Amino acid sequence: MLLTYFAFGILSVIALASGVMVITRRNAVHSVIWLIVALFAVGGVYLLQQAEFLFAVQIILYVGGIMVLFLFVVMLVNIDVALKQAQFSRQWLLGVLTAALLAVLLAYVVYNHGQGLNLPAQPLVSMRQGNTQAIGQALYQNYMLPVEIASLLLLVAMVGAVIMAKRKFE
Amino acid sequence: MNMLETATNFLSNHPLTLAVIKILIVFAVLAGIVAYLVYMERKVLAFMQARLGPMRVGPWGLLQPIADGLKLLLKEDIIPAGADKFVFLLAPAISVMAAFTVFAVIPFAGNFYVTDINIGLLFILGVSSLGIYGIILGGWSSNSHYPLLGALRSTAQLVSYEVAAGMALVGVLLISNSLSMVEIVNRQQELGVWNVFLQPVAFVIYVIAAVAETNRNPFDLPEAESELTAGFHTEYSGFRFALYFMAEYTNMVLVSCIAVTLFLGGWLRPFGSLKLMAGGLDLLEFVPVFAFLGAAAFVLWLGLKSLVQLERYFFMALAAAIVFLAALVAVPPVAHALQGIFWFGVKVLAFLYAFIWYRATFPRYRYDQLMNVGWRWMIPLALTNLIVTAVVVWWKGPHLWSLLPAGLAVTGLVGYWLSLRSPATQASHN
């Protein structure tokens, strides 16, 4: 149990510290690298909660997929020029406000509802079955319609993006 | 003495001890295999082109990998002046780490694997997709044009082919009902048929995507030497270059292992239900003995042919060692225990040979052709196969044999339709 708390502490410190690094680096590629570290640490927290499917999806989708595309785009930016340009940090007041709002919301959930941080001592699904099957059943049997609607929405967005990109090139 | 006793007690009871020993074994054997894979590639390519290949270092060039390794270790480690130093140093390590980590969940035999986790296949997909960071960061941090172009090409290629490979693997998952690698092999034993016969289309798609993901011919555009010098690792020298080299060959072994586990029955013997019983022993379990004896005969023949006295002695000693191994494997309990590892090794070796064979056979794709094959052919066909598999599994339940004709017929039809719509066909009609 002590080991779990210890691991949680290390992972959350890594996640928070690399989150700070993401917004303080001037070099965009370094920011992306720190974001990858942060995502890894969050994945570790999932694993600590015995949500191994979520951990795997976090690594495959965010670290292995989306961040690669991030890097792909960022690499094409000319760093030397970008460093001399003004940074997009003029809306810091708005940013601070949003962050404060989020913090208040989180604090409200944690302290008032009590349930929020009372993580179950036992995993909700038995370890032998694993939660991959449980998630699959929930998504494709209990919540079939919402999942299909959401995926249709994503498909429409994807087709829209392709059409917009095509128009630009023609 | 007492302290020593408690220490050994602690170690022998600790759950990590066995795992660490297994990891060390896998790591050491893998490093050796990778070194000699390079030797094998040079030899096989040479024979296919009617040359001799490395012959100078050691008998038949057998010590060449060691000499190469030493050379790379002793070479100057150059870091380009404009490079992003930290990222430049980090990148090759990422590549190697990603490649080696995945072997933790590969079942080499029913009785030998580091660990078996219930998300095995997802773990493999996730960790092996990290290897791309080694390439992309290495290419970017070199601050040079060729590496950057190589890295960009590599990223686009890997992202495109990962989709097709992933969808091909989902077909196997539908049949085996599990993400655990050991379970997937056990399921093939239960069904009495390897997945390649139930998922022929997925197998072909996975093999093609695997070649593309390891940046091997005919998909080696990220390091096309005639266009990009050496691609993403142009600026790397010495041992950092060796790390990239190692990562590439480790990845070759890795995708072969995955293909063998998922499609070719892993450690299972071909014709597993067939038994030639004699005196309470299954004679087919002694195939490894004959394989070793054959290898010994070949080595002996090489030795007798050699004109150098020292080489003759070396080959004879080697043949004697192999005969000794054969004798060891002939002991029934040993034969039984080593069955799985032997068949797994044979299948992986066949895959690795095919990788080298492709390199000697196919010319490199042009970039637009590469993207066409990935997006216009592989992904639609993989999707078709996935839908067919899902429908058959849902409809037929355990009678999965109908997957073979159904999968081939439907993907064949879709493939024909795709070929009618492809720009090349339409251009020829006009």
Side-chain angles (χ1 to χ4, degrees), chain B residues 47-305:
Chain B
F47 290 149
M48 284 183 179
Q49 296 160 350
R51 298 182 283 120
L52 282 174
M55 289 294 278
R56 298 278 170 172
V57 191
W60 279 74
L62 268 174
L63 299 177
Q64 186 73 43
I66 297 163
D68 282 345
L70 275 178
K71 180 197 79 175
L72 286 170
L73 261 176
L74 297 175
K75 260 179 125 174
E76 188 189 353
D77 180 26
I78 299 167
I79 300 174
D84 191 315
K85 203 173 164 197
F86 179 69
V87 182
F88 188 82
L89 299 185
L90 185 72
I94 297 178
S95 268
V96 175
M97 242 154 51
F100 273 98
T101 307
V102 185
F103 280 93
V105 296
I106 299 279
F108 300 98
N111 50 12
F112 188 80
Y113 46 83
V114 175
T115 179
D116 178 41
I117 53 179
N118 55 1
I119 50 160
L121 195 57
L122 288 178
F123 180 84
I124 288 176
L125 286 177
V127 176
S128 61
S129 70
L130 299 182
I132 191 175
Y133 285 116
I135 293 176
I136 190 170
L137 290 176
W140 173 78
S141 64
S142 302
N143 195 21
S144 158
H145 288 121
Y146 290 135
L148 186 65
L149 281 173
L152 286 176
R153 280 184 175 189
S154 175
T155 320
Q157 177 178 330
L158 282 175
V159 169
S160 310
Y161 279 77
E162 225 166 45
V163 180
M167 274 196 277
L169 297 184
V170 176
V172 175
L173 290 190
L174 284 178
I175 296 178
S176 32
N177 278 331
S178 175
L179 286 165
S180 140
M181 298 296 272
V182 174
E183 269 309 303
I184 289 174
V185 178
N186 282 338
R187 176 76 175 154
Q188 295 179 66
Q189 194 166 23
E190 266 170 46
L191 287 173
V193 54
W194 293 353
N195 282 338
V196 63
F197 297 110
L198 301 177
Q199 291 286 313
V201 181
F203 176 67
V204 172
I205 288 173
Y206 183 75
V207 170
I208 297 174
V211 178
E213 282 191 42
T214 42
N215 294 330
R216 297 273 311 173
N217 265 46
F219 301 104
D220 61 343
L221 288 119
E223 40 195 296
E225 45 300 80
S226 47
E227 302 158 25
L228 296 178
T229 316
F232 63 88
H233 56 60
T234 305
E235 301 291 346
Y236 281 88
S237 64
F239 203 63
R240 283 177 216 294
F241 166 74
L243 286 181
Y244 271 130
F245 210 66
M246 224 162 105
E248 185 184 327
Y249 282 85
T250 313
N251 270 323
M252 265 168 77
V253 180
L254 176 67
V255 292
S256 307
C257 286
I258 297 173
V260 165
T261 309
L262 292 179
F263 292 100
L264 294 182
W267 67 82
L268 303 176
R269 190 181 73 194
F271 307 108
S273 49
L274 199 69
K275 279 192 165 63
L276 280 176
M277 298 304 278
L281 294 171
D282 184 1
L283 281 187
L284 285 180
E285 286 204 338
F286 295 95
V287 173
V289 180
F290 296 110
F292 276 122
L293 285 180
F298 174 70
V299 169
L300 199 63
W301 175 71
L302 276 184
L304 292 178
K305 226 175 59 163

